[in-house]
Amino acid sequence: MDQELPRRRGRQRRPRVPDSLRKRAARACLPCRQHKEKCQGGLPCARCQQYKRTCRFESIQPPAPGPSERASLPSENEMSNREHQMERIIQHFMGDVSFTSRNLQEIADMLEKERDDSISQDAEFSDGQAMSESYSLEPLSTSMMHYSGELSHWNFSKAIRRRLQNIGNGREQPDGPETTKGFFRATGLQSSNSFVTSSMMYFPPRDVAEFLTDTFLQFAQTNYFYFDETTFRQKMNFYYTTNQPFTIEDTGWICTLLMTFAIGTQFAYMQTRPTQAKTPSSEEIPDDHIGLELYRFSCRLIPDMITIASVETVQAFLLLGVYTLPIDTSGLAYTYYGLAIKMAVQNGMHRKYSGVSLDPLSVELRNRLWWSAYSLESRISILHGRPVSVSRVDTDADMPTEVTGLRPSNGVSNLPNIIANIYLTNQLSKLARVILRLRRCPRIQQTQHLQELRTIRTELCDWWASLPVEIHCRDLNPSGPLFRCNVHLELTYTTATIYIGRPFLFLHPGPSARMSTGDIRSETAKLLSDDCVQACLRIIDLCQLLQNSVGLARVSYTEFSSCRAALLALIAQRLIDDSSERLCSAIARGMTLIRQICVGLESARSEVAVIEALERARLQLDRRGESEQNCAPSDSGYDQFRRWAQLWRGEPLTSISLPGLEPENIEVPGTMGDDIPSFDGFLSSFPQELNAFASIPASDEFELPTEWPL
């Protein structure tokens, strides 16, 4: 036995065979290794070329650095800083762990074992390029695509088909009906062409159509993208000049045209309003009958648009949402935006397209449409307490970029504003998630989430300061080409600031209360609530700037919702600080502005109720001081009793009930008849909210509770 051991140890190794004499390649490509097939070598190898696979090899590790490269290695201070940052990253993902060498080695061995197990399972159960082709986008036409997700039946069937081809020695199976059933569209459920054919009678005269289109692009589009202006005008010219009957395939563009005209009627009065002119009354603004008729006919096309599910139908549903936004924000508009999201997902617009079937212009149109739909639907969902259809982590579509052929007719692109608006939407989503976690977490974890809020606030402030001031984003020159777009962008930014600080308004102590130093809870409550109040005052100033220049739009959700949020937060702040004259002045100005936004709307009953509720809430805050200071000595006891009775019973307020405001600056809407329909618009939820505010008594001191009822 002992004599045989040296003989075994001295056994010679097998000599290396030259590459020219080998029967198989020295290094096999990854697809052949995954399929456990013989690789013939080369790039691409013969087998990958036969099966039309992507032939690739593992990357070779770079050689060790030479003497000259070692000189450029990081210094000891930089290495120490790196170690500190890596410790922070480890603590973030793994919690409070020990950084001893033994413990770190055990953690690294455990993670490496889990990774090896995962790789071995993937290598055993994967099928060729199934892992690399996680989803598929296959064009059906110039405006329709078939999207299939990672774990879909369609992708699994494609994996089976590839395996069958491998078993059959690479013979391609002929395409038959079974290979195209996944691209099925329910055309049998579409209606006859009669609906689309009759749409011509709803087209306004050509010059009116041009006017309404220009109005839409100037006042309604702002920081979103709904369609390509050049293509839109080409389609409009075609439908106005063609003698051929319309078909189902024209449904998407027909609805896009009609809804653009309908939205144009909502903003048409702004085209004739001179600068510094008086706000027009309801009699001076044409009613919405024409726009309503265009909307009602467009609704008949909805079933066909759902079955078509093309890029044009995404445009149409977005415009349906824009039209209903001032009428029923959290209902109809939310539903239409959800349908636009579903149509976009069906076409794979939420995923990155890397194919060659579409030209760069078409790809950019898809990306801009997707991000506009995503921003609108996400923003409405967050601000109105609705679930978001698609999470940010579920989309990897490219951000909009400048592409030749997409510049508007005036030569000034709003693309920087669109990108900034997308960023604000993503930040608003992050804020919503952190605030929800803060509301539900135990007290011991509140500090971590509060720090996250402060970090997001800092990121927002730094990002806003870095935006361009000339023309785009932050240029507030009324004569600039993007003035309303820039004001709307800042309104969106300040609304996000209010969203951060609003939960802390009632947690922030009053001016006479003491605040403990070094407490991150108290410091954060003061910091974010102060930011919220300053953002409210800024919103009132921005709305006043709009009113003094181009005028406030009576159907602009951005203008009204920001003014609404500012007034609510200011009223809440008055419960704590009831001695601020600046807050009183801002509330009075905001009330005047919100009345001017409401002029001429059909849903006037809801808006009048909102305004009265706001005034009642403000008057109740000042009820003690106003009863002594603002009542004239000549007022009789009956006049004082009548004023108090109206306030207590919630009756409509008249001009004599509004101390502190000049009568000529207030437009009190008239009494509405019972025959006028009441819309559940973006104003109708105010009375309940403000009655809750008004029922809270004012106090001089406000202490932080032991548990935060966020």
Side-chain angles (χ1 to χ4, degrees):
M1 294 289 294
D2 296 338
Q3 295 178 356
E4 295 179 357
L5 287 176
R7 188 179 305 169
R8 291 181 180 176
R9 291 174 182 171
R11 181 177 299 172
Q12 295 181 353
R13 297 180 60 183
R14 181 180 177 181
R16 184 180 184 277
V17 180
D19 294 343
S20 59
L21 300 179
R22 286 179 176 270
K23 295 183 179 181
R24 62 176 62 189
R27 289 179 60 228
C29 65
L30 290 179
C32 289
R33 291 174 60 185
Q34 291 176 353
H35 287 281
K36 298 180 180 180
E37 298 171 345
K38 182 187 299 185
C39 184
Q40 304 295 334
L43 187 64
C45 68
R47 194 171 294 275
C48 287
Q49 192 171 8
Q50 178 184 5
Y51 295 145
K52 298 180 180 180
R53 300 185 304 214
T54 302
C55 187
R56 60 191 186 279
F57 294 84
E58 290 182 345
S59 59
I60 302 175
Q61 295 294 333
S68 59
E69 296 175 347
R70 294 194 191 100
S72 60
L73 292 177
S75 61
E76 294 183 1
N77 293 335
E78 187 175 355
M79 290 296 296
S80 177
N81 184 42
R82 287 185 181 181
E83 292 177 0
H84 176 66
Q85 302 303 330
M86 292 176 67
E87 289 178 0
R88 293 179 57 195
I89 295 173
I90 294 174
Q91 287 180 341
H92 175 77
F93 287 102
M94 306 199 67
D96 190 10
V97 298
S98 175
F99 290 102
T100 62
S101 300
R102 182 179 181 86
N103 189 46
L104 291 176
Q105 183 177 358
E106 292 177 356
I107 295 175
D109 293 341
M110 179 187 64
L111 295 175
E112 188 174 0
K113 183 178 182 301
E114 293 179 355
R115 185 197 63 183
D116 294 341
D117 293 342
S118 176
I119 292 176
S120 62
Q121 292 177 4
D122 292 341
E124 181 179 356
F125 295 106
S126 65
D127 180 27
Q129 300 184 41
M131 300 303 296
S132 61
E133 295 181 0
S134 56
Y135 62 92
S136 61
L137 281 172
E138 308 195 26
L140 305 182
S141 66
T142 56
S143 62
M144 287 189 294
M145 299 198 65
H146 175 81
Y147 167 73
S148 185
E150 289 86 343
L151 303 179
S152 63
H153 297 311
W154 178 258
N155 271 19
F156 187 67
S157 66
K158 290 176 63 177
I160 296 176
R161 185 182 180 190
R162 286 195 300 268
R163 179 58 60 89
L164 290 174
Q165 292 176 2
N166 293 336
I167 296 176
N169 296 324
R171 290 191 297 269
E172 290 285 345
Q173 301 294 331
D175 291 339
E178 68 277 0
T179 64
T180 59
K181 286 184 178 179
F183 300 155
F184 175 75
R185 286 289 195 270
T187 56
L189 300 180
Q190 295 174 353
S191 60
S192 62
N193 293 334
S194 58
F195 278 153
V196 184
T197 304
S198 60
S199 61
M200 179 58 73
M201 61 183 297
Y202 288 88
F203 279 26
R206 182 62 183 272
D207 54 345
V208 176
E210 295 285 354
F211 168 77
L212 295 176
T213 300
D214 295 338
T215 302
F216 173 89
L217 295 173
Q218 182 178 356
F219 295 102
Q221 184 166 250
T222 60
N223 299 320
Y224 299 97
F225 179 86
Y226 299 106
F227 51 76
D228 174 33
E229 180 181 352
T230 302
T231 307
F232 180 90
R233 295 188 184 277
Q234 291 175 354
K235 290 291 183 179
M236 182 170 61
N237 181 67
F238 170 77
Y239 290 123
Y240 269 92
T241 57
T242 184
N243 295 324
Q244 300 176 358
F246 299 156
T247 62
I248 292 295
E249 286 71 21
D250 300 317
T251 304
W253 270 114
I254 292 296
C255 187
T256 299
L257 288 170
L258 293 179
M259 291 313 303
T260 301
F261 301 152
I263 298 170
T265 62
Q266 294 178 319
F267 292 89
Y269 76 98
M270 298 188 69
Q271 290 280 20
T272 58
R273 183 182 186 275
T275 304
Q276 302 291 343
K278 181 182 177 181
T279 302
S281 62
S282 58
E283 290 79 10
E284 298 172 352
I285 300 177
D287 59 21
D288 296 329
H289 177 72
I290 297 176
L292 188 60
E293 289 298 322
L294 295 175
Y295 166 77
R296 287 173 176 171
F297 176 80
S298 299
C299 289
R300 301 179 184 178
L301 307 176
I302 291 178
D304 294 332
M305 290 194 298
I306 293 177
T307 59
I308 294 173
S310 63
V311 174
E312 289 79 11
T313 62
V314 177
Q315 298 176 169
F317 280 119
L318 283 179
L319 295 174
L320 285 166
V322 173
Y323 180 81
T324 56
L325 197 58
I327 300 173
D328 189 6
T329 307
S330 59
L332 276 175
Y334 172 74
T335 302
Y336 285 134
Y337 288 145
L339 287 171
I341 289 290
K342 298 299 182 184
M343 299 295 102
V345 170
Q346 190 169 352
N347 282 274
M349 297 168 65
H350 65 303
R351 305 306 300 265
K352 179 182 178 67
Y353 180 75
S354 57
V356 296
S357 301
L358 296 180
D359 58 280
L361 181 60
S362 300
V363 175
E364 178 62 20
L365 285 172
R366 289 166 54 88
N367 292 335
R368 293 193 185 187
L369 267 180
W370 163 254
W371 285 113
S372 293
Y374 169 82
S375 300
L376 284 164
E377 200 264 351
S378 297
R379 183 172 180 80
I380 296 301
S381 301
I382 294 171
L383 296 181
H384 291 268
R386 300 288 192 269
V388 179
S389 297
V390 177
S391 174
R392 179 65 179 88
V393 298
D394 295 327
T395 178
D396 58 358
D398 291 331
M399 295 293 290
T401 57
E402 199 68 67
V403 175
T404 305
L406 279 182
R407 297 191 68 87
S409 57
N410 60 1
V412 181
S413 173
N414 65 339
L415 182 61
N417 292 59
I418 294 176
I419 297 175
N421 200 49
I422 296 171
Y423 175 83
L424 287 174
T425 302
N426 292 331
Q427 293 297 101
L428 189 63
S429 300
K430 290 172 57 177
L431 289 170
R433 291 193 297 269
V434 175
I435 292 175
L436 285 177
R437 289 198 297 266
L438 181 61
R439 292 171 62 97
R440 300 167 182 171
C441 73
R443 180 185 178 90
I444 193 174
Q445 297 179 2
Q446 289 179 355
T447 302
Q448 176 185 353
H449 298 316
L450 289 173
Q451 190 62 45
E452 291 183 37
L453 284 180
R454 297 184 67 163
T455 302
I456 298 176
R457 168 193 173 271
T458 303
E459 291 177 356
L460 269 176
C461 295
D462 295 342
W463 168 82
W464 181 255
S466 66
L467 292 179
V469 180
E470 297 181 358
I471 300 180
H472 299 96
C473 298
R474 294 177 58 197
D475 180 20
L476 299 184
N477 181 8
S479 60
L482 297 177
F483 170 66
R484 287 190 78 250
C485 297
N486 297 339
V487 173
H488 277 213
L489 185 64
E490 187 167 354
L491 288 175
T492 305
Y493 166 71
T494 48
T495 302
T497 306
I498 293 177
Y499 194 81
I500 302 177
R502 189 173 59 184
F504 303 95
L505 287 175
F506 292 119
L507 302 175
H508 173 42
S512 59
R514 297 179 181 177
M515 186 181 67
S516 59
T517 59
D519 184 8
I520 188 174
R521 292 154 49 89
S522 302
E523 292 178 357
T524 302
K526 183 179 186 309
L527 175 66
L528 299 183
S529 59
D530 289 347
D531 285 351
C532 176
V533 174
Q534 294 302 318
C536 295
L537 299 175
R538 179 59 177 168
I539 284 178
I540 301 299
D541 292 339
L542 290 172
C543 291
Q544 189 68 61
L545 177 62
L546 277 176
Q547 177 61 20
N548 294 339
S549 53
V550 297
L552 288 165
R554 63 190 181 98
V555 289
S556 172
Y557 173 79
T558 300
E559 295 172 13
F560 184 88
S561 63
S562 58
C563 188
R564 168 199 192 188
L567 284 172
L568 286 175
L570 289 175
I571 291 174
Q573 181 67 15
R574 284 298 310 278
L575 298 176
I576 303 170
D577 185 8
D578 57 357
S579 61
S580 175
E581 293 296 331
R582 188 181 182 187
L583 294 183
C584 294
S585 175
I587 292 175
R589 286 196 299 144
M591 289 306 309
T592 304
L593 293 170
I594 209 170
R595 282 192 181 89
Q596 293 164 348
I597 298 176
C598 298
V599 171
L601 286 177
E602 280 193 9
S603 52
R605 177 180 297 176
S606 297
E607 290 136 12
V608 168
V610 170
I611 296 171
E612 293 172 349
L614 286 169
E615 291 292 352
R616 286 198 301 271
R618 190 179 71 84
L619 290 175
Q620 281 185 333
L621 294 176
D622 300 332
R623 60 187 180 276
R624 289 174 298 181
E626 290 179 354
S627 61
E628 300 176 359
Q629 300 176 5
N630 295 328
C631 291
S634 59
D635 288 347
S636 64
Y638 176 75
D639 292 334
Q640 299 180 28
F641 163 76
R642 180 167 172 260
R643 183 184 298 105
W644 170 82
Q646 286 182 330
L647 180 65
W648 184 78
R649 291 185 301 176
E651 292 181 355
L653 299 171
T654 60
S655 59
I656 64 172
S657 305
L658 305 175
L661 294 177
E662 295 298 331
E664 61 269 14
N665 295 333
I666 300 176
E667 299 179 6
V668 181
T671 304
M672 309 303 297
D674 296 335
D675 56 335
I676 297 181
S678 176
F679 289 86
D680 183 17
F682 54 40
L683 306 159
S684 58
S685 61
F686 271 127
Q688 293 81 4
E689 298 175 3
L690 293 172
N691 286 336
F693 274 114
S695 63
I696 303 176
S699 59
D700 296 331
E701 295 185 1
F702 196 87
E703 297 181 356
L704 286 171
T706 57
E707 296 293 337
W708 287 24
L710 291 178

